Amino acid sequence: MLTEEKRLLRMFYLLSETEGYKKASELAAKLQISERTVKKDVEQLKDLARKNGCRLEAVRGKGYVLKVEDPPCFEQSRESLAILFGNTEKGYKENPVYRIARAVMMEERADADGYFRLEDLAEALYISESDMKKKMAGVREFLGSFHLTLQSRPGRGQRLEGDELSRRFCFLELYENHFRKRVVTYQNQKYEEAFEDRGDKEEIRNTVLWIIRDSSLEMFDSFLNRMINYTLLMRNRMRAGRRIRREDCLWSRYQEELRRSREYRIAGQITEALGEFEGFERDDEETEALAVLLQIWEDLDEEDHLEECFPGLYGPAQDASRQLEEILTGRWNLPLSRIDSGFAGKMTPGMVRIFLQNRYGFSQARTVGNIVSDNNIKDSVQSMALADETALIIRERWGIVINEYNIQLLAVKFFRMINGISYSYIPRRLLVCSRNGRENARIIAEGIARRLGTDWIGRLTIEELYEGRKYPPEDYDCLIGTFPAYSYRYTWPYIEVGQIPQPEDYERIRREVVREGFDLKSVMDRCRWDTVWVHRDFAAGQTDGIFQLIAYQWGKDPEDKERLAGYFSEKRIARIHSQILTLMIPAGEAGRRIFELFLLKKPVTYMEKSVRAVVFAAVDFGGDPEILKLTEQILRKLSTGMEVLSRDVNSENIMDILTEKAREEL
């Protein structure tokens, strides 16, 4: 059945991507089946086409073609299949945890009371019972992040428990965030029916968007789209008798404050406007639930009225931000106040968001918005490490476990702060000469100023070739001229350019002269690493062995070693990017500044990902913004250039190589 369904969807996808007719022989060749099988599937293909906004037409001698009758429905189906089969062709695989969770949410194979047996669910999903049992821990963890649990009853099996809003939130996560990553799930018709519209989705979208855009509320586009899908889900769940019950939800204790909020007013406008569409009805509890989601999803970073909008949370969020700044500064010796005196203030909106999500019980929900998860913030392993550390502090100090989405938002804040740091610059001293006289040298100097600016130039002297001999070498950093190097002996760096310099001449000047004004070597010297090691062809059976080795190597005493080992066991301490696992901790945890690179003899697996190298960095930023900036750059260069670096680096030269790599991007 699964194979046949996959074949039909594939056939429909091929026809949807074809402007003209496609013969049975062409379809058969693409699908690697017989023409007889194609013709046998035609009746089922016609039914599939009707459900997806088009009609299958067969013409003798020409083949088959899809005639579109409902363009919005057809385009939506075509986009879904393009994602599905595009990912399949790229070799992507769906996380089986999400596939099982999706089936649990739809209560597949459940009896009238909602109980299901694992063996029955495994059969429905074409998964072996042993694999199903192995994945159930991950399924329970995922569902638990939405306050949903699986309750077991002897002789009956298991049943999903949790309030209706938590269920809907989980539905949205599985539908939206994992929809574009689905690659082998060909049995989701029932799941997608939960978000089915009645041909009025675009009208609903326009209605909701106009209300939100006409208000003072700011939302990311991805959350606006999520709100539209939520309204469709809300209608279908209400229609099935699955209504919000205030007494089941955490917001009931904050009902009075919630009803005074602007989000409740906007939610009321939305539910009132939706009442004009079939299947919607006004319900106070549904309005309150919608207000909760508006508060969770709105963009607070640009909000000027946080204190007015969230009077009960703004003060605690301010205090929390100040405490975070103090703790981070102490643990890492971070120069936060030197970089940005308003750091705590900029953290406050994020803390309001986290406190809001915790208030309503969704701080752990696995909402990984595409706007963050699909960008390149994970390239910055240092920003992610500081964000992970912040998440640990929030858990230790306020007992709140935050989700990956909020961690990545924190990382974006750290990267923005670090990216804004400027290295001190030593202006360059130039002597420009030409064998064709001073006027030609002046043309060269003017071209340099025009193409590269002048703010990097501390001294500029223009002379003809032989007059240049009278200037002392110690007064200049570089000589630029129009003659071969062997024509005259100089003791300072020399760059030969044409009498009319070309783009490649200017690029060489930028690379060899302008960049040299950034004295990154002195910054690296100030890092004062106590230990720098590169371990080549390191044999490791698993990453846990490496963690244990590091802990027992650098722990000062048995108690300290055990503490370090426990610190490393925290999942969010280690991050994998480009097959490099980075373990970055404050130097105080190890008692010294350490940089170790383990180049593995054979790849190992960590959290189901392949690892080719392990970086351990125990860092003290020394209250120096430039150290913070350089460490960010060298760690990022490791993750993006390991193929080249692994051939050349050793314990003696790795810091010099990484420093020059960092200079290249300035």
Side-chain angles (χ1 to χ4, degrees):
M1 181 62 187
L2 183 62
T3 303
E4 293 173 4
E5 189 177 358
K6 176 181 176 181
R7 187 173 67 236
L8 284 171
L9 289 171
R10 179 74 174 172
M11 202 179 301
F12 181 84
Y13 170 64
L14 291 172
L15 288 170
S16 71
E17 294 296 305
T18 304
E19 293 184 3
Y21 287 85
K22 210 167 189 69
K23 294 182 178 180
S25 58
E26 294 174 312
L27 289 171
K30 284 281 187 181
L31 297 168
Q32 296 183 339
I33 57 176
S34 67
E35 287 186 49
R36 183 177 178 181
T37 302
V38 172
K39 293 174 181 177
K40 178 184 172 185
D41 288 339
V42 166
E43 289 305 315
Q44 289 178 281
L45 190 58
K46 286 180 179 178
D47 290 337
L48 182 63
R50 278 193 293 270
K51 292 177 182 177
N52 290 281
C54 58
R55 172 171 48 86
L56 180 67
E57 187 177 281
V59 178
R60 187 183 296 274
K62 288 187 175 182
Y64 303 99
V65 68
L66 295 177
K67 298 290 186 179
V68 179
E69 296 178 336
D70 184 347
C73 178
F74 175 74
E75 286 301 324
Q76 184 177 355
S77 300
R78 185 165 71 166
E79 181 185 0
S80 299
L81 290 174
I83 293 166
L84 182 69
F85 289 108
N87 284 340
T88 301
E89 288 164 2
K90 292 175 184 176
Y92 297 160
K93 294 182 179 180
E94 183 187 35
N95 187 335
V97 165
Y98 301 138
R99 187 179 173 200
I100 297 169
R102 199 176 285 120
V104 171
M105 291 297 297
M106 290 308 302
E107 299 180 303
E108 293 185 18
R109 297 298 176 99
D111 61 21
D113 294 325
Y115 286 98
F116 65 90
R117 297 176 184 275
L118 285 183
E119 52 267 30
D120 294 336
L121 195 61
E123 181 182 357
L125 297 176
Y126 302 92
I127 299 174
S128 70
E129 287 185 43
S130 60
D131 282 345
M132 173 69 79
K133 290 176 181 177
K134 289 177 184 177
K135 299 299 180 184
M136 286 309 294
V139 173
R140 288 190 178 90
E141 182 185 357
F142 175 80
L143 295 174
S145 74
F146 295 91
H147 283 280
L148 301 175
T149 59
L150 288 174
Q151 299 294 331
S152 299
R153 183 174 176 182
R156 299 291 301 277
Q158 302 184 54
R159 183 172 69 177
L160 184 68
E161 300 282 355
D163 68 83
E164 176 60 19
L165 183 58
S166 296
R167 289 172 184 251
R168 293 183 191 179
F169 208 177
C170 189
F171 266 104
L172 279 167
E173 166 67 5
L174 286 167
Y175 182 72
E176 293 206 347
N177 291 327
H178 305 300
F179 176 80
R180 293 185 177 276
K181 300 173 186 174
R182 270 198 331 229
V183 290
V184 292
T185 309
Y186 299 98
Q187 297 173 293
N188 279 324
Q189 289 86 348
K190 185 178 178 183
Y191 191 84
E192 290 174 21
E193 284 172 6
F195 297 88
E196 189 176 35
D197 69 276
R198 302 182 184 183
D200 53 9
K201 182 174 182 178
E202 285 306 310
E203 294 177 68
I204 291 173
R205 177 190 298 276
N206 292 333
T207 299
V208 175
L209 291 185
W210 275 114
I211 291 172
I212 292 177
R213 286 171 179 166
D214 197 41
S215 70
S216 58
L217 207 67
E218 295 286 340
M219 292 183 75
F220 294 126
D221 286 345
S222 62
F223 290 127
L224 283 171
N225 291 330
R226 181 170 293 181
M227 182 59 68
I228 306 306
N229 283 329
Y230 176 79
T231 60
L232 299 177
L233 177 64
M234 177 177 72
R235 174 168 64 178
N236 292 326
R237 296 288 287 181
M238 291 174 68
R239 182 178 164 196
R242 302 298 186 94
R243 293 176 175 271
I244 299 286
R245 291 172 27 139
R246 184 186 299 117
E247 60 269 26
D248 295 336
C249 301
L250 288 177
W251 86 73
S252 59
R253 72 187 74 169
Y254 306 105
Q255 182 189 1
E256 187 177 338
E257 183 179 337
L258 183 65
R259 281 176 168 264
R260 291 197 303 266
S261 70
R262 62 173 181 172
E263 290 80 12
Y264 180 77
R265 174 177 51 79
I266 296 167
Q269 293 173 2
I270 292 174
T271 52
E272 184 175 350
L274 290 176
E276 299 179 7
F277 296 91
E278 182 185 356
F280 285 104
E281 56 184 274
R282 182 67 183 266
D283 182 291
D284 285 344
E285 290 170 318
E286 292 288 349
T287 302
E288 290 172 3
L290 198 59
V292 167
L293 295 180
L294 285 172
Q295 287 192 348
I296 289 174
W297 291 339
E298 65 182 303
D299 178 13
L300 300 176
D301 285 352
E302 303 301 326
E303 178 59 68
D304 296 325
H305 309 291
L306 281 174
E307 186 173 9
E308 178 186 339
C309 295
F310 305 102
L313 294 177
Y314 182 72
Q318 270 192 320
D319 291 340
S321 298
R322 285 191 284 266
Q323 290 181 52
L324 281 172
E325 179 175 13
E326 183 180 343
I327 295 169
L328 285 169
T329 299
R331 287 191 184 181
W332 294 83
N333 209 350
L334 275 169
L336 296 178
S337 59
R338 289 184 61 186
I339 299 170
D340 188 350
S341 59
F343 175 82
K346 291 176 182 176
M347 289 288 285
T348 300
M351 290 307 298
V352 170
R353 179 191 301 110
I354 288 168
F355 284 171
L356 267 173
Q357 292 175 359
N358 184 60
R359 165 184 283 188
Y360 300 131
F362 295 124
S363 63
Q364 297 182 54
R366 300 259 192 98
T367 45
V368 185
N370 290 334
I371 51 172
V372 174
S373 65
D374 288 348
N375 72 17
N376 293 325
I377 190 59
K378 292 181 181 178
D379 287 350
S380 175
V381 293
Q382 177 167 284
S383 297
M384 290 300 299
L386 293 174
D388 285 330
E389 179 81 0
T390 305
L392 287 175
I393 296 169
I394 291 171
R395 187 179 72 185
E396 293 168 357
R397 185 59 60 98
W398 296 281
I400 302 173
V401 179
I402 66 175
N403 57 32
E404 178 71 7
Y405 174 62
N406 277 315
I407 289 176
Q408 292 191 31
L409 285 180
L410 287 169
V412 170
K413 286 185 179 295
F414 282 114
F415 181 77
R416 183 179 178 185
M417 176 188 71
I418 296 169
N419 196 48
I421 296 171
S422 297
Y423 291 114
S424 56
Y425 192 82
I426 303 173
R428 301 288 85 194
R429 303 167 301 172
L430 305 181
L431 176 60
V432 180
C433 297
S434 172
R435 69 178 359 164
N436 289 338
R438 184 177 296 171
E439 195 60 31
N440 188 232
R442 194 177 305 280
I443 292 172
I444 296 170
E446 289 172 353
I448 292 171
R450 186 171 57 253
R451 292 293 291 267
L452 302 177
T454 58
D455 56 342
W456 56 278
I457 300 175
R459 176 185 298 170
L460 176 62
T461 302
I462 300 170
E463 279 290 359
E464 56 93 10
L465 172 59
Y466 294 105
E467 287 296 316
R469 291 177 295 180
K470 65 185 180 184
Y471 294 98
E474 60 272 14
D475 288 351
Y476 293 91
D477 299 303
C478 183
L479 170 65
I480 299 174
T482 60
F483 39 86
Y486 60 77
S487 296
Y488 196 83
R489 184 175 296 173
Y490 296 94
T491 57
W492 55 72
Y494 170 64
I495 294 178
E496 180 183 359
V497 298
Q499 293 181 14
I500 301 178
Q502 299 301 303
E504 55 269 24
D505 294 325
Y506 294 122
E507 174 57 27
R508 187 181 172 198
I509 292 170
R510 186 183 69 82
R511 188 175 62 249
E512 297 182 17
V513 182
V514 180
R515 282 179 181 166
E516 288 299 315
F518 296 104
D519 188 12
L520 299 193
K521 187 178 184 307
S522 68
V523 179
M524 179 57 72
D525 290 342
R526 296 203 302 274
C527 290
R528 298 194 302 276
W529 297 105
D530 296 305
T531 301
V532 177
W533 276 351
V534 175
H535 307 273
R536 285 189 168 277
D537 295 325
F538 190 86
Q542 54 186 0
T543 52
D544 287 347
I546 300 177
F547 293 171
Q548 191 174 40
L549 171 68
I550 294 171
Y552 281 82
Q553 180 175 2
W554 299 116
K556 296 183 288 295
D557 51 51
E559 184 179 339
D560 206 32
K561 296 178 191 297
E562 290 297 327
R563 184 183 55 78
L564 267 180
Y567 194 82
F568 295 160
S569 67
E570 172 63 48
K571 288 182 180 178
R572 282 180 173 167
I573 289 297
R575 287 281 181 172
I576 299 174
H577 183 66
S578 299
Q579 295 187 303
I580 300 174
L581 188 151
T582 302
L583 194 67
M584 186 174 179
I585 66 171
E589 296 291 338
R592 54 195 290 128
R593 300 175 182 87
I594 304 162
F595 190 97
E596 282 190 287
L597 172 62
F598 298 84
L599 299 171
L600 305 184
K601 192 171 186 178
K602 293 182 180 179
V604 297
T605 301
Y606 181 75
M607 297 183 68
E608 300 183 353
K609 293 182 180 179
S610 178
V611 175
R612 295 185 300 115
V614 176
V615 176
F616 170 57
V619 183
D620 183 332
F621 296 110
D624 189 331
E626 291 186 338
I627 292 177
L628 180 64
K629 174 90 168 184
L630 184 58
T631 309
E632 148 68 25
Q633 284 188 276
I634 65 174
L635 286 171
R636 186 152 33 88
K637 285 298 178 184
L638 268 177
S639 66
T640 57
M642 180 56 71
E643 289 292 344
V644 175
L645 289 172
S646 62
R647 296 196 300 265
D648 304 321
V649 298
N650 55 51
S651 299
E652 287 70 37
N653 67 15
I654 184 170
M655 286 305 167
D656 291 335
I657 290 176
L658 289 175
T659 300
E660 287 310 306
K661 290 290 181 183
R663 194 196 303 276
E664 288 175 5
E665 67 179 37
L666 298 176

